Protein backbone atom coordinates (compact mmCIF):
# COMPACT_ATOMS: atom_id res chain seq x y z
CA UNK A 1 0.00 0.00 0.00
CA UNK A 2 1.24 3.50 -0.82
CA UNK A 3 2.52 5.20 2.30
CA UNK A 4 2.42 8.89 3.09
CA UNK A 5 5.53 10.84 4.14
CA UNK A 6 5.35 14.14 6.01
CA UNK A 7 7.99 16.62 4.80
CA UNK A 8 7.93 19.23 7.53
CA UNK A 9 9.64 22.60 7.30
CA UNK A 10 10.17 25.03 10.13
CA UNK A 11 10.59 28.77 10.54
CA UNK A 12 11.80 30.98 7.70
CA UNK A 13 11.97 28.14 5.20
CA UNK A 14 9.04 29.80 3.39
CA UNK A 15 11.76 32.26 2.26
CA UNK A 16 13.74 29.57 0.42
CA UNK A 17 14.73 30.78 -3.03
CA UNK A 18 13.85 34.37 -2.17
CA UNK A 19 16.85 35.44 -0.07
CA UNK A 20 20.46 34.35 0.49
CA UNK A 21 20.62 32.11 -2.63
CA UNK A 22 24.38 31.71 -2.10
CA UNK A 23 23.58 29.87 1.14
CA UNK A 24 20.18 28.25 0.56
CA UNK A 25 20.02 28.01 -3.25
CA UNK A 26 17.53 29.46 -5.70
CA UNK A 27 14.72 26.91 -5.49
CA UNK A 28 11.59 27.79 -3.56
CA UNK A 29 9.81 25.41 -1.24
CA UNK A 30 7.10 25.12 -3.92
CA UNK A 31 9.80 24.04 -6.41
CA UNK A 32 10.97 21.40 -3.92
CA UNK A 33 7.38 20.23 -3.39
CA UNK A 34 6.97 19.80 -7.17
CA UNK A 35 10.21 17.79 -7.38
CA UNK A 36 9.09 15.50 -4.57
CA UNK A 37 5.63 15.05 -6.10
CA UNK A 38 7.30 14.07 -9.39
CA UNK A 39 9.46 11.29 -7.90
CA UNK A 40 6.99 10.05 -5.27
CA UNK A 41 4.97 7.66 -7.52
CA UNK A 42 8.09 5.71 -8.53
CA UNK A 43 8.97 5.39 -4.83
CA UNK A 44 5.41 4.26 -4.05
CA UNK A 45 4.88 7.06 -1.52
CA UNK A 46 2.77 10.20 -1.32
CA UNK A 47 4.09 13.45 0.13
CA UNK A 48 2.44 15.81 2.59
CA UNK A 49 4.55 18.96 2.38
CA UNK A 50 4.05 21.45 5.22
CA UNK A 51 5.77 24.58 6.51
CA UNK A 52 5.11 26.68 9.57
CA UNK A 53 6.85 29.45 11.43
CA UNK A 54 5.11 28.36 14.62
CA UNK A 55 6.50 25.69 16.94
CA UNK A 56 3.02 24.61 18.08
CA UNK A 57 1.78 24.12 14.53
CA UNK A 58 4.84 22.00 13.71
CA UNK A 59 4.10 19.86 16.76
CA UNK A 60 0.42 19.55 15.75
CA UNK A 61 1.50 18.33 12.29
CA UNK A 62 3.77 15.70 13.89
CA UNK A 63 0.83 14.56 16.03
CA UNK A 64 -1.38 14.28 12.93
CA UNK A 65 1.36 12.26 11.23
CA UNK A 66 1.13 9.65 14.01
CA UNK A 67 -2.12 8.48 12.40
CA UNK A 68 -1.56 9.37 8.75
CA UNK A 69 2.12 9.01 7.86
CA UNK A 70 4.67 6.20 7.77
CA UNK A 71 7.72 8.48 8.01
CA UNK A 72 8.79 12.07 8.61
CA UNK A 73 11.43 14.20 6.92
CA UNK A 74 11.99 17.30 9.01
CA UNK A 75 13.91 20.50 8.48
CA UNK A 76 13.08 22.23 11.73
CA UNK A 77 15.04 25.38 10.79
CA UNK A 78 16.19 27.32 13.82
CA UNK A 79 14.05 25.17 16.14
CA UNK A 80 16.53 22.37 15.42
CA UNK A 81 18.86 23.92 17.94
CA UNK A 82 16.36 24.90 20.62
CA UNK A 83 13.23 22.76 20.65
CA UNK A 84 12.94 20.00 23.21
CA UNK A 85 9.18 20.14 22.46
CA UNK A 86 9.62 19.16 18.78
CA UNK A 87 12.00 16.37 19.82
CA UNK A 88 9.37 15.14 22.31
CA UNK A 89 6.71 15.14 19.58
CA UNK A 90 9.00 13.17 17.26
CA UNK A 91 9.63 10.70 20.08
CA UNK A 92 5.88 10.05 20.11
CA UNK A 93 6.00 9.13 16.40
CA UNK A 94 6.69 5.45 15.75
CA UNK A 95 8.05 5.53 12.19
CA UNK A 96 11.42 6.57 10.79
CA UNK A 97 12.53 10.21 10.98
CA UNK A 98 15.11 11.84 8.72
CA UNK A 99 16.60 15.17 9.76
CA UNK A 100 17.30 17.38 6.75
CA UNK A 101 19.23 20.62 6.44
CA UNK A 102 19.95 22.54 3.27
CA UNK A 103 23.27 23.73 4.71
CA UNK A 104 25.82 21.73 6.69
CA UNK A 105 24.92 22.80 10.22
CA UNK A 106 28.12 21.16 11.52
CA UNK A 107 30.26 23.45 9.34
CA UNK A 108 28.48 26.63 10.45
CA UNK A 109 28.43 28.58 13.74
CA UNK A 110 28.99 26.59 16.93
CA UNK A 111 25.40 27.20 18.10
CA UNK A 112 24.11 25.24 15.09
CA UNK A 113 26.20 22.17 15.91
CA UNK A 114 23.77 20.94 18.54
CA UNK A 115 20.54 19.43 17.20
CA UNK A 116 17.67 18.19 19.36
CA UNK A 117 16.25 16.62 16.19
CA UNK A 118 19.41 14.54 15.76
CA UNK A 119 18.76 13.01 19.19
CA UNK A 120 15.65 11.36 17.71
CA UNK A 121 16.33 11.10 13.98
CA UNK A 122 17.28 7.78 12.39
CA UNK A 123 19.36 9.57 9.76
CA UNK A 124 20.66 13.06 8.98
CA UNK A 125 21.16 14.61 5.56
CA UNK A 126 22.97 17.96 5.62
CA UNK A 127 24.76 20.25 3.20
CA UNK A 128 23.29 18.92 -0.05
CA UNK A 129 21.29 22.06 -0.77
CA UNK A 130 17.65 21.62 -1.71
CA UNK A 131 18.64 18.38 -3.54
CA UNK A 132 18.79 16.90 -0.04
CA UNK A 133 14.98 16.74 0.00
CA UNK A 134 14.75 14.26 -2.89
CA UNK A 135 17.68 12.32 -1.42
CA UNK A 136 15.80 12.14 1.89
CA UNK A 137 12.59 11.00 0.18
CA UNK A 138 14.44 8.17 -1.60
CA UNK A 139 16.04 7.12 1.69
CA UNK A 140 12.84 7.19 3.74
CA UNK A 141 10.93 5.29 1.02
CA UNK A 142 13.42 2.46 1.61
CA UNK A 143 12.90 2.67 5.37
CA UNK A 144 9.08 2.61 5.57
O1 LIG B 1 20.31 24.56 6.62
C1 LIG B 1 19.13 24.47 6.98
O2 LIG B 1 18.28 23.88 6.33
C2 LIG B 1 18.70 25.16 8.27
O3 LIG B 1 17.70 24.35 8.88
C3 LIG B 1 18.14 26.50 7.89
C4 LIG B 1 17.73 27.34 9.10
C5 LIG B 1 18.87 27.44 10.10
O4 LIG B 1 18.42 28.13 11.27
C6 LIG B 1 19.39 26.07 10.48
O5 LIG B 1 20.47 26.24 11.37
C7 LIG B 1 19.84 25.30 9.26
C8 LIG B 1 17.35 28.74 8.65
C9 LIG B 1 16.25 28.77 7.67
C10 LIG B 1 16.23 30.12 7.05
O6 LIG B 1 15.79 29.96 5.74
C11 LIG B 1 15.99 31.00 4.89
C12 LIG B 1 15.96 30.67 3.58
C13 LIG B 1 16.19 31.66 2.66
C14 LIG B 1 16.42 32.95 3.06
C15 LIG B 1 16.44 33.27 4.38
C16 LIG B 1 16.22 32.28 5.33
Amino acid sequence: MTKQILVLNGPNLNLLGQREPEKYGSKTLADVASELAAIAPALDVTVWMAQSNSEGTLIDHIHTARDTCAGIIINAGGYTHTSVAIMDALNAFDGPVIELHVTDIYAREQFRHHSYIAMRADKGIVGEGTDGYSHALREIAEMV
Side-chain angles (χ1 to χ4, degrees), residues 4-83:
Q4 179 160 248
I5 307 298
L6 171 58
V7 181
L8 189 57
N9 295 279
N12 300 305
L13 287 157
N14 53 309
L15 300 178
L16 263 187
Q18 298 175 41
R19 292 189 53 116
E20 300 188 74
E22 66 290 346
K23 197 181 286 174
Y24 295 109
S26 55
K27 285 183 182 159
T28 65
L29 212 51
D31 293 333
V32 173
S34 299
E35 285 179 2
L36 297 185
I39 65 170
L43 299 172
D44 197 21
V45 295
T46 59
V47 172
W48 169 25
M49 188 84 167
Q51 188 277 331
S52 177
N53 294 320
S54 149
E55 189 175 22
T57 301
L58 294 168
I59 291 167
D60 288 342
H61 287 338
I62 294 167
H63 290 174
T64 299
R66 296 178 70 237
D67 297 322
T68 60
C69 294
I72 297 176
I73 297 166
I74 180 166
N75 182 350
Y79 285 139
T80 302
H81 318 294
T82 64
S83 183

Side-chain angles (χ1 to χ4, degrees), residues 52-126:
S52 177
N53 294 320
S54 149
E55 189 175 22
T57 301
L58 294 168
I59 291 167
D60 288 342
H61 287 338
I62 294 167
H63 290 174
T64 299
R66 296 178 70 237
D67 297 322
T68 60
C69 294
I72 297 176
I73 297 166
I74 180 166
N75 182 350
Y79 285 139
T80 302
H81 318 294
T82 64
S83 183
V84 173
I86 292 176
M87 178 186 69
D88 287 344
L90 291 170
N91 277 330
F93 178 78
D94 286 333
V97 173
I98 294 184
E99 177 182 19
L100 183 285
H101 296 286
V102 176
T103 61
D104 181 356
I105 56 172
Y106 302 104
R108 295 184 62 185
E109 304 95 322
Q110 189 72 33
F111 67 85
R112 296 187 203 272
H113 295 189
H114 179 263
S115 165
Y116 284 102
I117 310 304
M119 299 178 84
R120 160 64 178 91
D122 299 288
K123 187 179 177 72
I125 293 176
V126 303

